[in-house]
Amino acid sequence: MSLAEWPHRVSPGAADAPVLLMLHGTGGDETQMGGLAELLDPRAATLSPRGRVSEYGANRWFARLAEGVFDVDDVEARADELAGFLGEALTENALDGRPVIAVGFSNGANMALAVGMRHPELVSGVIAFSGMYPFGDREYDGSLTGLDVAVLGGHDDPMAPRTSVLKLVEQLQRRGATVRHAERPGGHGLTEADAAAARDWLAAKLPA
Ligand code: MLT
């Protein structure tokens, strides 16, 4: 899959700033995440691809069998495909060597987590808004030491059940990732407070 065949947007940002890989939710596209990226770090480069799975016309990052029941083979394959895109897009846009933070909302959060957990050599941080454990009942052992993850969402989210979120945190920590897990009251969504928490987390992670 060449870059030209994969709809995406790029903005180069400042040379010493990170790269934000911005992943939309179900039904979104590559035009939707610019405002959030600007809020998280106005100096960052951004790569915003479009999810390549169509669910009755709605763009997604991987197939699901039912709401919250993922086709885990597809999660794995699509995460690897996205990692391929990321590697090529970094080189093509002269962004190699800059830290990459995968940022996603909902289905995009689940893919940001999947790509970070399968490709920590490419991704140094993940910001997951209303995400959950993306790999069903599969567990893995590879080290995630060096991966920083912010897990932000509502305590009562029917689409990202708390049991799955807690499993996500437990699996990340067991494999050596550093996790900030912040719950707010409420359900699925991305609030101003979530975005502000992510911005502060990112600022604290990056060198001044
Ligand atoms: C998913 O399928 O990734 C989650 O259920 C969230 C969503 O509906 O997109």
Side-chain angles (χ1 to χ4, degrees), residues 24-27 55 59-64 66-70 105-111 130-132 134 157-161 188:
H24 61 76
T26 298
E55 186 183 77
N59 299 318
R60 283 178 54 84
W61 296 100
F62 54 80
R64 59 181 164 179
E67 192 172 294
V69 183
F70 302 155
F105 167 63
S106 187
N107 181 241
N110 298 336
M111 178 47 87
S130 288
M132 60 189 269
D157 183 343
M159 297 172 81
H188 207 67

Side-chain angles (χ1 to χ4, degrees), residues 100-102 112-127 135 142-150 168 171-173 175-180 201 205:
V100 174
I101 315 294
L113 291 160
V115 77
M117 292 171 82
R118 285 180 72 79
H119 294 279
E121 77 286 0
L122 281 174
V123 174
S124 64
V126 177
I127 299 174
F135 301 117
S143 171
L144 296 177
T145 301
L147 184 70
D148 280 350
V149 184
L168 168 70
Q171 291 290 313
L172 286 165
Q173 289 175 334
R175 295 174 58 189
T178 302
V179 183
R180 169 159 158 65
W201 175 89
K205 173 178 157 57

Side-chain angles (χ1 to χ4, degrees), residues 29-197:
D29 67 24
E30 70 279 14
T31 67
Q32 284 184 334
M33 301 296 277
L36 177 61
E38 176 78 17
L39 199 145
L40 293 175
D41 184 351
R43 299 179 73 250
T46 59
L47 284 175
S48 303
R50 183 189 303 173
R52 288 171 38 73
V53 171
S54 172
E55 186 183 77
Y56 305 110
N59 299 318
R60 283 178 54 84
W61 296 100
F62 54 80
R64 59 181 164 179
L65 309 174
E67 192 172 294
V69 183
F70 302 155
D71 176 342
V72 180
D73 286 340
D74 200 54
V75 175
E76 293 181 347
R78 299 286 178 179
D80 295 351
E81 184 184 56
L82 182 61
F85 164 88
L86 175 60
E88 274 185 50
L90 291 172
T91 302
E92 176 72 21
N93 294 286
L95 299 170
D96 279 318
R98 289 163 65 169
V100 174
I101 315 294
V103 180
F105 167 63
S106 187
N107 181 241
N110 298 336
M111 178 47 87
L113 291 160
V115 77
M117 292 171 82
R118 285 180 72 79
H119 294 279
E121 77 286 0
L122 281 174
V123 174
S124 64
V126 177
I127 299 174
F129 295 105
S130 288
M132 60 189 269
Y133 187 68
F135 301 117
D137 55 14
R138 292 188 198 167
E139 297 182 2
Y140 314 83
D141 284 330
S143 171
L144 296 177
T145 301
L147 184 70
D148 280 350
V149 184
V151 178
L152 307 167
H155 182 276
D156 302 303
D157 183 343
M159 297 172 81
R162 193 155 188 270
T163 47
S164 179
V165 176
L166 295 180
K167 174 171 182 169
L168 168 70
V169 171
E170 184 262 317
Q171 291 290 313
L172 286 165
Q173 289 175 334
R174 180 180 64 77
R175 295 174 58 189
T178 302
V179 183
R180 169 159 158 65
H181 177 206
E183 285 179 324
R184 57 166 166 74
H188 207 67
L190 201 175
T191 68
E192 278 180 34
D194 294 334

